[in-house]
Amino acid sequence: MSANLLTNGDFDSGHYHWHNIPEIVIPNGWDFWCEESKSLRIEKQDDPFLRPETVVWNIKDAPDFEKPLFFLSGNYCLKVFKGWGPIWWRLFQSVSGLTPGASYRFSAPVFPDLIMGYAAGKKLFANDALAGEQRLVVRSGTQEFSTPWLDGKSVPFGKYTPLTLDFTAAATTAEVTLEVRGRWGLINNGWFVDSLKLEALV
């Protein structure tokens, strides 16, 4: 594999308030979207989608026992969450300098922290696989590539799972996206993300 072609893929190179919204902090080099429709519903959804909160979290602010859980590299990870509310969001970035016809791999480790309760001080993760879904999408030229929506059967709750998407560049540019949704108002609809990469396959 070659060098990482993403800007700030480990989130260590600064962050900003998306659209000047205090509750949404995004790593530099990335853009964000969230569903806020009060009428849109997907299967089994119990309440309207709400704007999530996001934090670019510094490892020094994390409890010692959580540092090895949520931080894969460097000093920062991204946390996107909402208590008692369904959320649907995307983190994306436009990349240039690709070679048309060449093959690339987009990878994004995700940690669904989907909590439906607590017992004896421990988290009880959601017991329905549909509680959390995620997918990768890449658009290059007129082409779109994507994984299917992956729920808790493929991406278990309570740990990191690396998602990967291989594609052939159709232009010198591409937009790479991590898309996530949680359709129920759990005690915590939360995801951690760290160490995203875009690499040429050689």
Side-chain angles (χ1 to χ4, degrees):
M1 302 293 286
S2 60
N4 190 0
L5 302 175
L6 294 176
T7 298
N8 198 17
D10 60 5
F11 308 149
D12 277 11
S13 297
H15 46 268
Y16 69 101
H17 289 280
W18 180 73
H19 292 186
N20 294 315
I21 299 172
E23 297 81 11
I24 300 186
V25 181
I26 298 299
N28 287 345
W30 294 88
D31 204 347
F32 189 74
W33 169 91
C34 59
E35 181 61 70
E36 296 187 69
S37 170
K38 301 304 179 186
S39 59
L40 178 65
R41 292 288 195 280
I42 56 178
E43 182 184 0
K44 297 184 179 180
Q45 184 182 342
D46 57 358
D47 285 306
F49 286 110
L50 300 177
R51 178 190 295 169
E53 299 176 53
T54 77
V55 176
V56 180
W57 198 21
N58 192 327
I59 193 170
K60 71 178 179 62
D61 298 324
D64 286 343
F65 75 94
E66 291 189 336
K67 291 177 181 178
L69 290 178
F70 300 133
F71 298 85
L72 298 179
S73 64
N75 294 317
Y76 292 87
C77 70
L78 177 66
K79 179 182 179 180
V80 183
F81 63 100
K82 189 68 179 180
W84 302 112
I87 58 175
W88 188 344
W89 56 271
R90 300 182 190 123
L91 182 72
F92 58 96
Q93 181 178 135
S94 295
V95 182
S96 59
L98 306 185
T99 301
S103 297
Y104 296 86
R105 174 170 295 164
F106 175 40
S107 58
V110 296
F111 186 122
D113 195 40
L114 305 178
I115 303 166
M116 66 178 188
Y118 294 89
K122 295 185 178 180
K123 297 176 180 178
L124 297 177
F125 292 105
N127 58 8
D128 189 316
L130 272 179
E133 302 165 279
Q134 41 273 305
R135 68 171 183 161
L136 302 182
V137 181
V138 173
R139 296 178 178 86
S140 180
T142 60
Q143 301 295 309
E144 180 174 299
F145 310 85
S146 69
T147 67
W149 281 106
L150 302 170
D151 62 21
K153 295 177 183 177
S154 302
V155 183
F157 308 150
K159 69 175 190 176
Y160 268 110
T161 297
L163 309 184
T164 61
L165 175 61
D166 293 350
F167 67 97
T168 300
T172 60
T173 60
E175 182 183 84
V176 299
T177 301
L178 168 64
E179 185 170 11
V180 173
R181 66 189 183 195
R183 63 182 74 192
W184 293 304
L186 302 173
I187 289 178
N188 185 59
N189 266 337
W191 275 264
F192 291 90
V193 184
D194 197 5
S195 301
L196 281 71
K197 296 180 180 179
L198 177 63
E199 300 167 295
L201 295 174
V202 294

